[in-house]
Amino acid sequence: MTIKTILSQKGDDVITIAPDASLAKAAQMLAEHRIGALIVTDSDKRVGGIISERDIVRAVAAGGAAALDQRVQEVMTHKVVTCNTAVGVAEIMEKMTAGKFRHVPVVELGRLVGIISIGDVVKAQLDEYEGEIETLHTRVEKG
Ligand code: AMP
């Protein structure tokens, strides 16, 4: 299964935040949308970074509540691992495991077109296994 298939099922909605927004704002958006990471974009929809709940926890652990006044760009990961829509799910799973992160923005021609989380990857794998099991059951029943 490719990323294109996953996005066609879950949609291409991506919650983004500006680099100069505060960490308090980022935390508020994560809670409001019940997600674990925000993609940091410029006005042109280009990916400039990613900020996850872990980055905020780390900043608060280091600086206390005052850290919530820091800008997103001070705390975000600047070097983001992205993928395109043609990539297979297994490859994304490998990237997530190797890099120890749970989110991969999907980029086409330099523009953000979706996001894949580890939850999406696990769901895609389960759907594939279930499909295979169903096919095997049908074959066995037909003898
Ligand atoms: P996560 O597991 O997504 O909550 O992120 C864990 C750490 O990896 C945080 O420091 C994130 O900023 C960073 N991170 C998340 N996704 C990516 C990605 N696609 N590329 C690079 N770093 C990432």
Side-chain angles (χ1 to χ4, degrees):
M1 193 185 288
T2 64
I3 296 309
K4 190 175 180 180
T5 311
I6 297 181
L7 289 184
S8 70
Q9 289 163 6
K10 73 163 249 188
D12 56 4
D13 234 23
V14 189
I15 312 294
T16 62
I17 192 164
D20 59 352
S22 67
L23 288 199
K25 172 76 181 167
Q28 200 180 33
M29 286 176 73
L30 291 174
E32 184 187 331
H33 295 281
R34 296 171 181 270
I35 52 176
L38 298 161
I39 307 303
V40 187
T41 51
D42 57 21
S43 53
D44 215 18
K45 258 193 150 189
R46 288 181 188 275
V47 177
I50 186 164
I51 182 157
S52 97
E53 51 201 358
R54 290 191 192 180
D55 301 315
I56 299 175
V57 167
R58 252 185 245 133
V60 171
L68 293 172
D69 292 330
Q70 277 184 277
R71 304 292 105 190
V72 163
Q73 62 201 353
E74 296 171 57
V75 167
M76 70 185 191
T77 299
H78 291 261
K79 212 169 164 224
V80 185
V81 175
T82 63
C83 69
N84 60 42
T85 54
V87 168
V89 175
E91 195 179 316
I92 296 302
M93 219 172 188
E94 274 171 31
K95 279 187 179 180
M96 285 178 169
T97 307
K100 293 190 169 66
F101 49 70
R102 299 165 292 180
H103 302 88
V104 177
V106 187
V107 174
E108 286 291 351
L109 301 172
R111 297 282 190 288
L112 184 61
V113 296
I115 185 161
I116 297 295
S117 76
I118 198 155
D120 300 325
V121 170
V122 170
K123 183 181 179 304
Q125 294 286 50
L126 281 176
D127 288 351
E128 240 175 39
Y129 295 150
E130 272 165 20
E132 280 168 25
I133 289 169
E134 220 165 277
T135 309
L136 287 173
H137 271 303
T138 315
R139 278 193 199 156
V140 169
E141 276 163 19
K142 279 185 181 166

